[in-house]
Amino acid sequence: MPTKQAVKKSTGKSGSTKKFEAEAINKKLSKSEKLKLYKKIVAIRRFEERSLQAYNQGKIGGFLHLYIGQEAVATGIVSLMEENDHIITAYRDHGHALAVGMTMNECMAELYGKYTGCSKGKGGSMHYFAPDKRYWGGHGIVAGQTPLGAGLAFALKYKGLKGCAVCFLGDGAVNQGSFMETLNLVSLWGIPVVYVIENNGYSMGTSLKRSSAEESLAKRGEAFGIEWSTCEGHDIFEVRSAANKAMTYARDNLKPYILEIRTYRYRGHSVADANHEKYRTKEEIENYKKNKDPINVLKTKLLADKTLTEASAKEIDREIKAEAEASAKFAEESPYPPKSEITTDVYWTVDNDSDNQLKGTYFFND
Amino acid sequence: MIPTINLKELIFSTTRKRDTMALITYREALKQALAEEIERDENVCIMGEEVAQYNGAYKVTEGLWEKYGDKRVIDTPISEAAFSGLAIGSSMLGIRPVVEMMFMSFSYVAFDQLFNNASFCRYMSGGLMNVPIVVRGPANGGTNVGATHSHTPENLVANHPGLKVVCPSNAYDAKGLMKSAIRDNDPVFVMENTLLYGEKWEVPEEEFIVELGVANTLKEGTDISIISHGRCAMIALKAAEILQNEHAINAEVIDLRSIRPLDEDAILNSVRKTHRAVLVEENKPYCGVDAQISHLIQYKAFDDLDAPIHRVSAIDAPQIYSKPLEDWQIPNEQRIIDSVLKCLA
Ligand SMILES: Cc1ncc(C[n+]2csc(CCOP(=O)(O)OP(=O)(O)O)c2C)c(N)n1
Ligand SMILES: [Mg+2]
């Protein structure tokens, strides 16, 4: 049982940032690996900016929950994934998707509801999946993914594979019963799942203070004997450092871990949330952008260690913008799914009934 | 010459004589109902996610927190099971909470509270208690948000004796049914529709209610009965207009308004007159509300039927995200017209 003292809490105060780059997990990064991280977070930003443009042009409808501001969290954690590690998240899922290597084309086409989308236009913005990349969604119901994350980790343990599942959730999602039930279960059964609480301070228009009685969210783990810590989410090296400890702990000890990462979303809850400057101040938003923008923070560091030059950074940005633009063109030119697609992918057995062996009626249309 | 149909007026011409009317949105009608009931009864309060300070995700409760304060309009964490159950418990001591589900889809995380506790407490106590709560929120597809956010669970609710459920199709019914639901001594689900929130209808300025269990004839007709509920009733009405103008078919359109209790007489009387029925609902077909209505008609009006009963419902699959496909998946005018023509063939 972890005692209070055993629980490590990183405060992530500024000034200590040097330390994170010096840590082994970051120090070992080659120049090209660091560049790759940089390109990923820029790609997430530019992809989403382009998707927003498409939304505003009326080419995408429904909900669009942008990850802008939080990019270093998914990018940092995905960069630590080992062969048997899996991830799962909620509806704010574009960043995680690109981080695991889904292409802009398939992601953009999905937003457009096109047949070439990652889910053939069936899932939409909130429901991206890439099992081949060990990315299990993309889930629209708040905290609905939290027991699933436990299940992924349970399966690893069951099969005797060394790995962990990382399950992302928001600061609002912690108040769902399913999450609290799952915390007990994963601790009781010794399941190697890491819950990453992406604490961006708000659940829709509700600040953390107004939704959680106790402001330290990760600390809830103590009630279940779960190790926890917190860190800042704007510096990808800090994210990697904290997440590496959490993931290693889970893998090595077959135990759960809760990592609360303080981050910020620049945009409204979804694009439809036009009110987001009413429940928080403009200064608060500007302040974060100015001082903690994850792209700028990383860029500054990579300029300093000569991984980047102003010119190469500009060139990367240009290339990535072009890629995002091309994905929009790809999406636009792609076809919608045919009507017959409405009733495929519902049942495995129906989809795989090549020899017409199925008994019973599966669909009930007049 | 066949007269054209005035959608806005027909809706309640059969239900009451004209008062002074105001043209208001479905959203505004709901808000008026909530405000009037808060004023009328000190035990009425509203709770849900973003209902107070944010003015509601869909602005149904806009201004109510400002006017009535923290005690009557209460923001909750994202804990549907907890606040639904809390509402049920408080109703045992006489509070009359109106619980907003930001989407009715989210009621699924509170399934036990709503479908076990709200529905069965009265029964299991041998009638010693009752649960006067309202659960309200949008229950519709057609908004391009995918399968997890597009549920129309009126059939699930109706399948639980002890629960009541209504599906207002227009602003008049939204206001009248909401007021009845709040005054009702049993748990009532009010299934709203995000696509209707911004639509306007004439609503009396004087106070009124619409009783649960009373259907509405939206359009009288002689050739076929189109029976529907919720937004589909409005689509059915438009389809009837096209049928009248382009096919010289005089369809009767019945809006059930209330699913449980159900106005059986309205359904049977209409079918006895027209001898044919097309049932239209947005829900998936299997075990849907219209499966029960179809049974009712064949059981009680078998000899009156000149053709099999036809159904138009969502194409039987999880809700697809892709907008043009979703628009085809849920009932639209064309699919209703096709079905009517088939039924009359
Ligand atoms: C069960 C359920 N209730 C409500 C919602 C509507 N909803 C979607 S996201 C959200 C806020 C979640 O906030 P948080 O967990 O902090 O994540 P963030 O959006 O900040 O990433 C709400 C209320 C939902 N999708 N599912
Ligand atoms: Mg949040």
Side-chain angles (χ1 to χ4, degrees):
Chain A
M1 279 288 119
T3 63
K4 272 219 158 137
Q5 288 93 315
V7 172
K8 299 255 171 10
K9 274 157 270 179
S10 137
T11 57
K13 285 265 154 15
S14 55
S16 58
T17 45
K18 267 263 156 0
K19 179 179 102 222
F20 299 116
E21 285 135 270
E23 282 187 24
I25 189 72
N26 293 321
K27 212 169 168 188
K28 71 173 193 192
L29 289 172
S30 68
K31 194 173 158 179
S32 81
E33 283 168 332
K34 282 192 262 184
L35 264 182
K36 216 172 124 192
L37 292 178
Y38 181 72
K39 285 182 183 173
K40 273 276 192 264
I41 63 172
V42 175
I44 296 169
R45 178 76 55 95
R46 301 297 172 235
F47 172 83
E48 289 209 312
E49 285 170 349
R50 188 60 187 81
S51 71
L52 176 61
Q53 193 186 330
Y55 191 97
N56 289 334
Q57 292 167 335
K59 305 211 159 153
I60 299 174
F63 292 142
L64 190 68
H65 304 92
L66 299 178
Y67 195 58
I68 296 179
Q70 304 183 206
E71 297 94 336
V73 178
T75 309
I77 289 172
V78 166
S79 72
L80 298 165
M81 280 173 75
E82 292 181 355
E83 173 186 22
N84 291 319
D85 293 345
H86 295 255
I87 66 161
I88 187 165
T89 188
Y91 44 83
R92 201 178 295 286
D93 59 353
H94 311 155
H96 309 72
L98 294 175
V100 296
M102 290 174 76
T103 66
M104 284 197 193
N105 277 0
E106 61 184 326
C107 290
M108 191 66 86
E110 187 63 28
L111 297 180
Y112 276 68
K114 296 297 181 76
Y115 203 25
T116 52
C118 45
S119 298
K120 305 181 202 164
K122 296 186 179 187
S125 163
M126 301 190 285
H127 311 112
Y128 283 3
F129 298 86
D132 63 320
K133 299 179 173 64
R134 290 167 277 127
Y135 177 40
W136 297 95
H139 295 269
I141 298 300
V142 166
Q145 77 280 16
T146 56
L148 303 183
L152 295 169
F154 175 86
L156 289 174
K157 183 175 176 185
Y158 190 97
K159 292 182 170 189
L161 297 170
K162 186 169 182 186
C164 68
V166 179
C167 177
F168 297 85
L169 66 153
D171 51 287
V174 299
N175 291 318
Q176 277 287 333
S178 59
F179 180 53
M180 275 171 269
E181 293 178 25
T182 306
L183 287 184
N184 179 55
L185 209 60
V186 294
S187 186
L188 188 69
W189 291 357
I191 291 181
V193 60
V194 176
Y195 285 104
V196 172
I197 302 171
E198 295 194 65
N199 179 357
N200 58 16
Y202 296 89
S203 48
M204 285 191 72
T206 304
S207 66
L208 176 60
K209 268 199 183 62
R210 296 208 300 117
S211 64
S212 279
E214 159 59 52
E215 276 188 56
S216 169
L217 304 179
K219 193 174 155 200
R220 292 181 188 193
E222 277 180 24
F224 302 96
I226 299 177
E227 290 277 336
W228 62 278
S229 65
T230 66
C231 78
E232 298 293 322
H234 60 282
D235 175 0
I236 195 165
F237 296 121
E238 178 168 355
V239 170
R240 278 173 49 87
S241 158
N244 178 51
K245 285 173 200 143
M247 292 162 78
T248 306
Y249 172 88
R251 289 185 207 110
D252 288 351
N253 299 290
L254 286 173
K255 278 187 179 173
Y257 194 97
I258 304 177
L259 173 60
E260 178 181 344
I261 303 186
R262 281 182 294 265
T263 179
Y264 201 73
R265 67 165 155 76
Y266 294 179
R267 303 280 171 170
H269 167 70
S270 73
V271 181
D273 173 22
N275 264 344
H276 74 108
E277 284 177 9
K278 285 203 180 135
Y279 55 78
R280 53 187 194 174
T281 62
K282 224 189 167 89
E283 295 77 68
E284 181 182 299
I285 305 169
E286 289 311 316
N287 207 22
Y288 199 94
K289 282 188 188 174
K290 203 170 133 216
N291 300 312
K292 296 191 171 174
D293 181 74
I295 296 184
N296 287 344
V297 168
L298 182 58
K299 186 177 158 191
T300 308
K301 294 186 178 195
L302 298 189
L303 286 173
D305 76 3
K306 308 232 177 340
T307 303
L308 275 178
T309 62
E310 282 293 353
S312 68
K314 221 178 228 147
E315 178 55 19
I316 287 170
D317 204 49
R318 199 196 54 77
E319 273 171 23
I320 287 172
K321 270 191 186 142
E323 190 189 347
E325 191 55 43
S327 75
K329 184 157 185 279
F330 171 81
E332 208 148 306
E333 289 170 358
S334 292
Y336 285 109
K339 280 180 186 162
S340 59
E341 276 293 339
I342 293 175
T343 47
T344 64
D345 303 321
V346 183
Y347 293 103
W348 186 93
T349 46
V350 175
D351 297 334
N352 290 280
D353 181 35
S354 49
D355 45 1
N356 278 323
Q357 293 295 310
L358 280 188
K359 305 284 183 295
T361 305
Y362 277 80
F363 294 98
F364 297 85
N365 297 302
D366 261 24
Chain B
M1 196 54 218
I2 303 154
T4 55
I5 299 163
N6 182 337
L7 298 188
K8 307 286 169 191
E9 280 182 15
L10 258 164
I11 287 153
F12 43 83
S13 60
T14 53
T15 59
R16 56 180 293 125
K17 70 179 201 316
R18 306 298 296 271
D19 298 293
T20 332
M21 293 291 170
L23 189 66
I24 62 168
T25 61
Y26 186 97
R27 171 188 288 115
E28 173 65 24
L30 288 166
K31 190 197 309 171
Q32 285 180 5
L34 295 169
E36 287 172 19
E37 294 306 300
I38 283 177
E39 302 249 3
R40 189 188 56 79
D41 181 346
E42 64 181 7
N43 285 320
V44 173
C45 60
I46 298 172
M47 62 179 78
E49 292 148 23
E50 311 290 351
V51 296
Q53 298 192 24
Y54 193 78
N55 282 317
Y58 286 98
K59 306 292 169 240
V60 171
T61 53
E62 188 160 29
L64 297 185
W65 173 69
E66 209 173 340
K67 187 151 181 215
Y68 301 109
D70 286 333
K71 183 172 175 188
R72 313 297 294 280
V73 186
I74 308 164
D75 274 330
T76 65
I78 314 171
S79 309
E80 286 85 355
F83 67 77
S84 299
L86 179 149
I88 294 164
S90 75
S91 79
M92 293 170 180
L93 290 182
I95 310 302
R96 304 182 82 91
V98 178
V99 174
E100 174 174 308
M101 291 289 154
M102 191 182 287
F103 278 67
M104 209 44 91
S105 289
F106 308 153
S107 68
Y108 289 25
V109 304
F111 211 91
D112 178 55
Q113 296 306 324
L114 297 171
F115 292 83
N116 255 333
N117 288 345
S119 54
F120 305 150
C121 274
R122 173 167 179 75
Y123 187 76
M124 294 186 301
S125 70
L128 295 177
M129 61 170 80
N130 59 309
V131 177
I133 66 162
V134 171
V135 183
R136 54 155 289 267
N140 62 282
T143 55
N144 194 200
V145 291
T148 56
H149 284 58
S150 304
H151 295 98
T152 45
E154 59 268 23
N155 61 327
L156 294 186
V157 180
N159 193 244
H160 287 74
L163 301 179
K164 298 178 179 176
V165 53
V166 298
C167 301
S169 69
N170 61 80
Y172 176 89
D173 289 350
K175 181 166 182 185
L177 288 171
M178 182 63 75
K179 286 171 71 82
S180 288
I182 294 171
R183 296 176 192 193
D184 200 274
N185 283 329
D186 290 309
V188 184
F189 282 65
V190 181
M191 305 305 203
E192 303 167 6
N193 192 307
T194 53
L195 295 175
L196 296 178
Y197 281 146
E199 299 262 317
K200 288 184 176 169
W201 282 270
E202 288 199 327
V203 174
E205 282 174 351
E206 293 78 6
E207 183 166 27
F208 71 99
I209 61 159
V210 173
E211 283 178 287
L212 308 187
V214 182
N216 187 18
T217 304
L218 292 176
K219 174 186 176 300
E220 294 197 19
T222 50
D223 299 340
I224 191 164
S225 303
I226 308 178
I227 298 163
S228 187
H229 63 271
R231 176 170 164 265
C232 275
M234 290 296 123
I235 302 171
L237 192 54
K238 283 183 207 141
E241 189 174 16
I242 298 167
L243 285 164
Q244 189 154 336
N245 295 338
E246 293 176 17
H247 301 272
I249 291 166
N250 186 9
E252 178 148 299
V253 181
I254 306 281
D255 178 355
L256 295 174
R257 297 205 283 208
S258 173
I259 305 302
R260 187 173 187 145
L262 180 70
D263 189 345
E264 290 195 6
D265 288 343
I267 297 167
L268 295 171
N269 289 341
S270 179
V271 173
R272 286 188 179 120
K273 182 168 74 172
T274 65
H275 309 295
R276 286 165 208 267
V278 169
L279 313 181
V280 185
E281 66 182 324
E282 190 183 311
N283 206 349
K284 313 300 185 251
Y286 201 27
C287 301
V289 168
D290 286 345
Q292 180 65 27
I293 307 234
S294 180
H295 167 74
L296 168 76
I297 296 171
Q298 69 80 30
Y299 190 64
K300 294 196 177 166
F302 187 72
D303 290 335
D304 290 289
L305 283 174
D306 284 347
I309 299 160
H310 285 53
R311 288 179 68 190
V312 181
S313 41
I315 292 172
D316 198 9
Q319 203 84 357
I320 196 163
Y321 164 78
S322 187
K323 178 79 172 117
L325 279 101
E326 191 193 14
D327 288 345
W328 182 250
Q329 183 175 17
I330 62 177
N332 54 36
E333 282 122 52
Q334 192 53 51
R335 284 182 51 207
I336 296 170
I337 291 165
D338 292 349
S339 183
V340 166
L341 295 177
K342 225 168 94 190
C343 187
L344 279 162

